[in-house]
Amino acid sequence: MPTALAMTTFDKQSSEQFGRAYEKTFYDGDYIAMASVYTADAKLLIEDGEIIEGREAIADFWKAACARAQKVQMKRSIRDDELESSGDLGYKRNTVTLEIPTRDGKTVTHVIKSITVWKREADGVWRIVQDISNRNAPLDPGQFAYGVALGDQAKA
């Protein structure tokens, strides 16, 4: 079933529209829709974590990430840096910027590089089969995955 997150063309314009829709879905906390862009057997490789396998486990990851982000009023933006495809496979290299307000009025910024491998499935929709990310810099002491600092932002 086509949604705003269903990419049927793997090109720059479609990818940018997808990115904006994905950001909105993230802010809405719609982790089910977020997970729907992954293949059933997709793998999510996040910094400081084990491989997350399968759409259901990926939905659980996004559910927790959305909740943490909403709690601390994190802002998230995605920028496409590179996009290529051949046949039914493609990849995107992105920069994801996370901006997290702190209690003292400052903002902690984390920059994450990611590569997603996409596959056009039988229904004609491109879905992520591999999602790999890495921070540009290590977390500060007391912080944990997805940039939420213990004791600094809203209590988890």
Side-chain angles (χ1 to χ4, degrees), residues 97-143:
T97 303
L98 310 177
E99 295 178 340
I100 307 146
T102 63
R103 288 186 181 169
D104 62 5
K106 297 180 182 175
T107 300
V108 175
T109 301
H110 293 287
V111 178
I112 298 170
K113 301 172 296 278
S114 73
I115 292 186
T116 50
V117 178
W118 296 70
K119 179 180 177 183
R120 183 173 34 215
E121 295 198 301
D123 63 358
V125 175
W126 288 86
R127 292 189 178 86
I128 300 169
V129 67
Q130 298 279 334
D131 186 348
I132 306 163
S133 63
N134 190 32
R135 280 185 300 279
N136 276 1
L139 292 175
D140 294 332
Q143 292 183 323

Short mmCIF file of all heavy atoms in Angstrom, two decimals, residues 97-143:
data_model
loop_
_atom_site.label_atom_id
_atom_site.label_comp_id
_atom_site.label_asym_id
_atom_site.label_seq_id
_atom_site.Cartn_x
_atom_site.Cartn_y
_atom_site.Cartn_z
N THR A 97 21.84 15.21 11.33
CA THR A 97 22.23 16.12 12.42
C THR A 97 21.16 16.08 13.50
O THR A 97 19.98 16.27 13.22
CB THR A 97 22.41 17.55 11.89
OG1 THR A 97 23.39 17.53 10.84
CG2 THR A 97 22.89 18.48 12.99
N LEU A 98 21.60 15.82 14.73
CA LEU A 98 20.72 15.81 15.89
C LEU A 98 21.06 17.02 16.75
O LEU A 98 22.23 17.23 17.08
CB LEU A 98 20.92 14.53 16.72
CG LEU A 98 20.89 13.20 15.98
CD1 LEU A 98 21.18 12.06 16.95
CD2 LEU A 98 19.57 13.01 15.29
N GLU A 99 20.06 17.80 17.09
CA GLU A 99 20.24 18.96 17.97
C GLU A 99 19.39 18.75 19.21
O GLU A 99 18.16 18.64 19.12
CB GLU A 99 19.85 20.24 17.25
CG GLU A 99 20.77 20.55 16.08
CD GLU A 99 20.37 21.79 15.32
OE1 GLU A 99 19.21 22.22 15.43
OE2 GLU A 99 21.23 22.33 14.63
N ILE A 100 20.06 18.68 20.36
CA ILE A 100 19.39 18.34 21.61
C ILE A 100 19.55 19.50 22.59
O ILE A 100 20.67 19.82 23.00
CB ILE A 100 20.00 17.06 22.20
CG1 ILE A 100 19.98 15.95 21.15
CG2 ILE A 100 19.27 16.64 23.47
CD1 ILE A 100 21.12 15.00 21.22
N PRO A 101 18.43 20.14 22.96
CA PRO A 101 18.52 21.23 23.94
C PRO A 101 18.85 20.69 25.33
O PRO A 101 18.39 19.61 25.71
CB PRO A 101 17.14 21.88 23.91
CG PRO A 101 16.24 20.90 23.26
CD PRO A 101 17.07 19.93 22.48
N THR A 102 19.66 21.43 26.06
CA THR A 102 20.01 21.05 27.43
C THR A 102 19.26 21.95 28.40
O THR A 102 18.73 23.00 28.02
CB THR A 102 21.52 21.16 27.67
OG1 THR A 102 21.91 22.52 27.51
CG2 THR A 102 22.30 20.27 26.71
N ARG A 103 19.26 21.58 29.65
CA ARG A 103 18.54 22.35 30.67
C ARG A 103 19.11 23.75 30.84
O ARG A 103 18.40 24.65 31.24
CB ARG A 103 18.58 21.62 32.00
CG ARG A 103 17.72 20.39 32.00
CD ARG A 103 17.69 19.79 33.38
NE ARG A 103 16.86 18.58 33.33
CZ ARG A 103 16.80 17.71 34.30
NH1 ARG A 103 17.48 17.90 35.40
NH2 ARG A 103 16.04 16.66 34.17
N ASP A 104 20.39 23.92 30.53
CA ASP A 104 20.99 25.24 30.71
C ASP A 104 20.86 26.14 29.49
O ASP A 104 21.50 27.17 29.39
CB ASP A 104 22.46 25.11 31.13
CG ASP A 104 23.31 24.40 30.08
OD1 ASP A 104 22.80 24.08 28.99
OD2 ASP A 104 24.51 24.17 30.35
N GLY A 105 19.99 25.74 28.54
CA GLY A 105 19.72 26.58 27.38
C GLY A 105 20.68 26.40 26.21
O GLY A 105 20.55 27.08 25.20
N LYS A 106 21.63 25.52 26.34
CA LYS A 106 22.55 25.24 25.24
C LYS A 106 21.98 24.14 24.36
O LYS A 106 20.94 23.57 24.65
CB LYS A 106 23.92 24.83 25.80
CG LYS A 106 24.59 25.92 26.60
CD LYS A 106 25.91 25.46 27.12
CE LYS A 106 26.54 26.57 27.97
NZ LYS A 106 27.78 26.15 28.60
N THR A 107 22.68 23.85 23.29
CA THR A 107 22.29 22.77 22.39
C THR A 107 23.48 21.85 22.17
O THR A 107 24.57 22.32 21.84
CB THR A 107 21.80 23.32 21.04
OG1 THR A 107 20.69 24.18 21.26
CG2 THR A 107 21.40 22.21 20.09
N VAL A 108 23.26 20.56 22.36
CA VAL A 108 24.27 19.55 22.04
C VAL A 108 23.97 19.08 20.62
O VAL A 108 22.83 18.74 20.30
CB VAL A 108 24.20 18.36 23.02
CG1 VAL A 108 25.16 17.26 22.61
CG2 VAL A 108 24.49 18.83 24.44
N THR A 109 24.97 19.09 19.76
CA THR A 109 24.79 18.67 18.37
C THR A 109 25.61 17.41 18.10
O THR A 109 26.79 17.36 18.43
CB THR A 109 25.22 19.79 17.40
OG1 THR A 109 24.44 20.95 17.67
CG2 THR A 109 25.02 19.37 15.95
N HIS A 110 24.96 16.42 17.53
CA HIS A 110 25.63 15.20 17.09
C HIS A 110 25.43 15.08 15.59
O HIS A 110 24.32 15.26 15.09
CB HIS A 110 25.04 13.96 17.76
CG HIS A 110 25.29 13.89 19.22
ND1 HIS A 110 26.52 13.60 19.76
CD2 HIS A 110 24.46 14.09 20.27
CE1 HIS A 110 26.44 13.62 21.08
NE2 HIS A 110 25.20 13.93 21.41
N VAL A 111 26.52 14.80 14.88
CA VAL A 111 26.45 14.58 13.44
C VAL A 111 26.73 13.11 13.18
O VAL A 111 27.71 12.55 13.68
CB VAL A 111 27.45 15.48 12.69
CG1 VAL A 111 27.41 15.20 11.19
CG2 VAL A 111 27.17 16.95 12.97
N ILE A 112 25.84 12.50 12.43
CA ILE A 112 25.92 11.07 12.15
C ILE A 112 26.00 10.87 10.64
O ILE A 112 25.25 11.49 9.89
CB ILE A 112 24.69 10.33 12.72
CG1 ILE A 112 24.66 10.49 14.23
CG2 ILE A 112 24.68 8.87 12.31
CD1 ILE A 112 23.38 10.02 14.88
N LYS A 113 26.91 10.02 10.23
CA LYS A 113 27.01 9.63 8.82
C LYS A 113 26.26 8.31 8.68
O LYS A 113 26.33 7.46 9.56
CB LYS A 113 28.46 9.42 8.42
CG LYS A 113 29.35 10.64 8.60
CD LYS A 113 30.80 10.30 8.35
CE LYS A 113 31.38 9.32 9.30
NZ LYS A 113 31.85 9.74 10.58
N SER A 114 25.54 8.16 7.59
CA SER A 114 24.84 6.89 7.39
C SER A 114 24.90 6.47 5.93
O SER A 114 25.00 7.31 5.03
CB SER A 114 23.39 6.96 7.86
OG SER A 114 22.62 7.73 6.98
N ILE A 115 24.85 5.17 5.76
CA ILE A 115 24.72 4.59 4.42
C ILE A 115 23.55 3.62 4.48
O ILE A 115 23.48 2.78 5.39
CB ILE A 115 26.00 3.88 3.96
CG1 ILE A 115 27.10 4.91 3.74
CG2 ILE A 115 25.73 3.06 2.70
CD1 ILE A 115 28.38 4.37 3.16
N THR A 116 22.63 3.78 3.55
CA THR A 116 21.53 2.84 3.44
C THR A 116 21.60 2.16 2.08
O THR A 116 21.88 2.81 1.06
CB THR A 116 20.16 3.54 3.60
OG1 THR A 116 20.10 4.69 2.75
CG2 THR A 116 19.94 3.99 5.04
N VAL A 117 21.40 0.87 2.09
CA VAL A 117 21.33 0.08 0.86
C VAL A 117 19.86 -0.21 0.62
O VAL A 117 19.16 -0.68 1.53
CB VAL A 117 22.15 -1.23 0.97
CG1 VAL A 117 22.02 -2.06 -0.31
CG2 VAL A 117 23.61 -0.93 1.29
N TRP A 118 19.40 0.10 -0.57
CA TRP A 118 17.99 -0.02 -0.93
C TRP A 118 17.79 -1.10 -1.97
O TRP A 118 18.67 -1.33 -2.82
CB TRP A 118 17.49 1.31 -1.49
CG TRP A 118 17.51 2.43 -0.50
CD1 TRP A 118 18.62 3.05 0.02
CD2 TRP A 118 16.40 3.06 0.09
NE1 TRP A 118 18.24 4.03 0.90
CE2 TRP A 118 16.88 4.06 0.96
CE3 TRP A 118 15.03 2.89 -0.04
CZ2 TRP A 118 16.04 4.89 1.70
CZ3 TRP A 118 14.18 3.72 0.70
CH2 TRP A 118 14.69 4.70 1.56
N LYS A 119 16.63 -1.72 -1.92
CA LYS A 119 16.27 -2.76 -2.88
C LYS A 119 14.85 -2.50 -3.36
O LYS A 119 13.95 -2.25 -2.56
CB LYS A 119 16.35 -4.12 -2.19
CG LYS A 119 15.98 -5.29 -3.05
CD LYS A 119 16.09 -6.58 -2.24
CE LYS A 119 15.65 -7.76 -3.04
NZ LYS A 119 15.70 -8.99 -2.24
N ARG A 120 14.67 -2.53 -4.68
CA ARG A 120 13.30 -2.41 -5.22
C ARG A 120 12.66 -3.79 -5.13
O ARG A 120 13.15 -4.76 -5.69
CB ARG A 120 13.32 -1.93 -6.67
CG ARG A 120 11.91 -1.72 -7.21
CD ARG A 120 11.85 -1.09 -8.58
NE ARG A 120 12.95 -1.47 -9.42
CZ ARG A 120 13.52 -0.66 -10.31
NH1 ARG A 120 13.10 0.57 -10.47
NH2 ARG A 120 14.53 -1.08 -11.04
N GLU A 121 11.55 -3.84 -4.39
CA GLU A 121 10.88 -5.12 -4.18
C GLU A 121 9.84 -5.36 -5.26
O GLU A 121 9.58 -4.50 -6.11
CB GLU A 121 10.27 -5.16 -2.78
CG GLU A 121 11.37 -5.09 -1.70
CD GLU A 121 10.91 -5.55 -0.35
OE1 GLU A 121 9.96 -4.95 0.19
OE2 GLU A 121 11.50 -6.51 0.15
N ALA A 122 9.22 -6.52 -5.22
CA ALA A 122 8.28 -6.94 -6.27
C ALA A 122 7.13 -5.97 -6.46
O ALA A 122 6.60 -5.85 -7.57
CB ALA A 122 7.75 -8.33 -5.95
N ASP A 123 6.74 -5.22 -5.40
CA ASP A 123 5.64 -4.26 -5.53
C ASP A 123 6.08 -2.92 -6.13
O ASP A 123 5.28 -1.99 -6.24
CB ASP A 123 4.95 -4.04 -4.18
CG ASP A 123 5.87 -3.43 -3.13
OD1 ASP A 123 7.07 -3.20 -3.41
OD2 ASP A 123 5.38 -3.19 -2.01
N GLY A 124 7.37 -2.83 -6.51
CA GLY A 124 7.89 -1.62 -7.14
C GLY A 124 8.36 -0.56 -6.16
O GLY A 124 8.82 0.50 -6.57
N VAL A 125 8.28 -0.84 -4.87
CA VAL A 125 8.69 0.12 -3.84
C VAL A 125 10.13 -0.17 -3.41
O VAL A 125 10.50 -1.32 -3.20
CB VAL A 125 7.74 0.06 -2.62
CG1 VAL A 125 8.23 0.96 -1.49
CG2 VAL A 125 6.32 0.45 -3.03
N TRP A 126 10.91 0.91 -3.32
CA TRP A 126 12.28 0.80 -2.82
C TRP A 126 12.24 0.77 -1.30
O TRP A 126 11.61 1.63 -0.67
CB TRP A 126 13.10 2.00 -3.29
CG TRP A 126 13.42 1.98 -4.75
CD1 TRP A 126 12.64 2.44 -5.76
CD2 TRP A 126 14.60 1.46 -5.35
NE1 TRP A 126 13.26 2.25 -6.96
CE2 TRP A 126 14.48 1.64 -6.74
CE3 TRP A 126 15.75 0.85 -4.86
CZ2 TRP A 126 15.47 1.25 -7.64
CZ3 TRP A 126 16.75 0.47 -5.75
CH2 TRP A 126 16.59 0.66 -7.13
N ARG A 127 12.91 -0.22 -0.70
CA ARG A 127 12.98 -0.34 0.75
C ARG A 127 14.43 -0.56 1.19
O ARG A 127 15.24 -1.10 0.43
CB ARG A 127 12.10 -1.49 1.24
CG ARG A 127 10.61 -1.21 1.04
CD ARG A 127 9.73 -2.25 1.73
NE ARG A 127 8.32 -1.90 1.55
CZ ARG A 127 7.61 -2.24 0.48
NH1 ARG A 127 8.14 -2.95 -0.51
NH2 ARG A 127 6.33 -1.87 0.40
N ILE A 128 14.70 -0.18 2.42
CA ILE A 128 16.05 -0.30 2.98
C ILE A 128 16.28 -1.75 3.39
O ILE A 128 15.50 -2.33 4.12
CB ILE A 128 16.22 0.63 4.19
CG1 ILE A 128 15.99 2.08 3.78
CG2 ILE A 128 17.60 0.44 4.82
CD1 ILE A 128 15.88 3.05 4.96
N VAL A 129 17.40 -2.30 2.92
CA VAL A 129 17.78 -3.66 3.29
C VAL A 129 18.93 -3.64 4.31
O VAL A 129 19.05 -4.54 5.14
CB VAL A 129 18.11 -4.50 2.04
CG1 VAL A 129 19.36 -4.02 1.34
CG2 VAL A 129 18.19 -5.96 2.36
N GLN A 130 19.75 -2.59 4.28
CA GLN A 130 20.85 -2.40 5.23
C GLN A 130 20.90 -0.91 5.59
O GLN A 130 20.86 -0.06 4.70
CB GLN A 130 22.21 -2.79 4.63
CG GLN A 130 22.34 -4.24 4.24
CD GLN A 130 22.66 -5.14 5.42
OE1 GLN A 130 23.24 -4.72 6.41
NE2 GLN A 130 22.29 -6.39 5.32
N ASP A 131 20.98 -0.62 6.87
CA ASP A 131 21.05 0.77 7.36
C ASP A 131 22.20 0.83 8.36
O ASP A 131 22.15 0.20 9.42
CB ASP A 131 19.71 1.13 8.02
CG ASP A 131 19.61 2.59 8.44
OD1 ASP A 131 20.63 3.30 8.44
OD2 ASP A 131 18.49 3.01 8.79
N ILE A 132 23.24 1.56 8.01
CA ILE A 132 24.47 1.60 8.80
C ILE A 132 24.78 3.04 9.15
O ILE A 132 24.75 3.92 8.28
CB ILE A 132 25.65 1.01 7.99
CG1 ILE A 132 25.30 -0.40 7.49
CG2 ILE A 132 26.93 1.01 8.82
CD1 ILE A 132 26.19 -0.88 6.38
N SER A 133 25.06 3.31 10.44
CA SER A 133 25.37 4.69 10.83
C SER A 133 26.54 4.73 11.80
O SER A 133 26.85 3.75 12.47
CB SER A 133 24.14 5.36 11.46
OG SER A 133 23.77 4.70 12.64
N ASN A 134 27.17 5.91 11.84
CA ASN A 134 28.32 6.13 12.71
C ASN A 134 28.41 7.63 13.02
O ASN A 134 28.24 8.46 12.15
CB ASN A 134 29.60 5.67 12.01
CG ASN A 134 30.78 5.63 12.94
OD1 ASN A 134 30.63 5.39 14.13
ND2 ASN A 134 31.94 5.90 12.41
N ARG A 135 28.66 7.95 14.29
CA ARG A 135 28.83 9.35 14.69
C ARG A 135 30.15 9.90 14.18
O ARG A 135 31.14 9.18 14.06
CB ARG A 135 28.82 9.47 16.22
CG ARG A 135 27.47 9.46 16.84
CD ARG A 135 27.58 9.71 18.34
NE ARG A 135 28.39 8.69 18.99
CZ ARG A 135 27.94 7.49 19.34
NH1 ARG A 135 26.70 7.16 19.10
NH2 ARG A 135 28.73 6.61 19.91
N ASN A 136 30.18 11.22 13.96
CA ASN A 136 31.43 11.89 13.59
C ASN A 136 32.38 12.00 14.78
O ASN A 136 33.59 12.06 14.60
CB ASN A 136 31.17 13.29 13.05
CG ASN A 136 30.82 13.29 11.58
OD1 ASN A 136 30.75 12.24 10.94
ND2 ASN A 136 30.59 14.46 11.04
N ALA A 137 31.82 12.06 15.99
CA ALA A 137 32.63 12.20 17.20
C ALA A 137 32.03 11.33 18.30
O ALA A 137 30.82 11.08 18.31
CB ALA A 137 32.65 13.66 17.64
N PRO A 138 32.85 10.88 19.24
CA PRO A 138 32.31 10.05 20.32
C PRO A 138 31.38 10.85 21.22
O PRO A 138 31.44 12.08 21.27
CB PRO A 138 33.56 9.61 21.09
CG PRO A 138 34.62 10.59 20.72
CD PRO A 138 34.28 11.11 19.36
N LEU A 139 30.51 10.11 21.93
CA LEU A 139 29.62 10.75 22.90
C LEU A 139 30.43 11.25 24.09
O LEU A 139 31.47 10.70 24.42
CB LEU A 139 28.57 9.75 23.39
CG LEU A 139 27.52 9.30 22.39
CD1 LEU A 139 26.64 8.22 23.01
CD2 LEU A 139 26.69 10.46 21.90
N ASP A 140 29.92 12.28 24.73
CA ASP A 140 30.51 12.76 25.98
C ASP A 140 30.17 11.77 27.09
O ASP A 140 29.19 11.03 26.98
CB ASP A 140 29.95 14.14 26.34
CG ASP A 140 30.38 15.22 25.35
OD1 ASP A 140 31.46 15.07 24.73
OD2 ASP A 140 29.63 16.19 25.18
N PRO A 141 30.96 11.74 28.17
CA PRO A 141 30.63 10.85 29.28
C PRO A 141 29.20 11.09 29.78
O PRO A 141 28.74 12.23 29.85
CB PRO A 141 31.64 11.26 30.36
CG PRO A 141 32.78 11.86 29.58
CD PRO A 141 32.15 12.53 28.38
N GLY A 142 28.49 10.02 30.07
CA GLY A 142 27.13 10.12 30.59
C GLY A 142 26.07 10.10 29.52
O GLY A 142 24.88 10.10 29.82
N GLN A 143 26.45 10.09 28.25
CA GLN A 143 25.47 10.05 27.17
C GLN A 143 25.30 8.62 26.69
O GLN A 143 26.19 7.79 26.85
CB GLN A 143 25.89 10.94 26.00
CG GLN A 143 25.86 12.41 26.36
CD GLN A 143 26.21 13.28 25.18
OE1 GLN A 143 27.05 12.93 24.38
NE2 GLN A 143 25.55 14.40 25.08
#
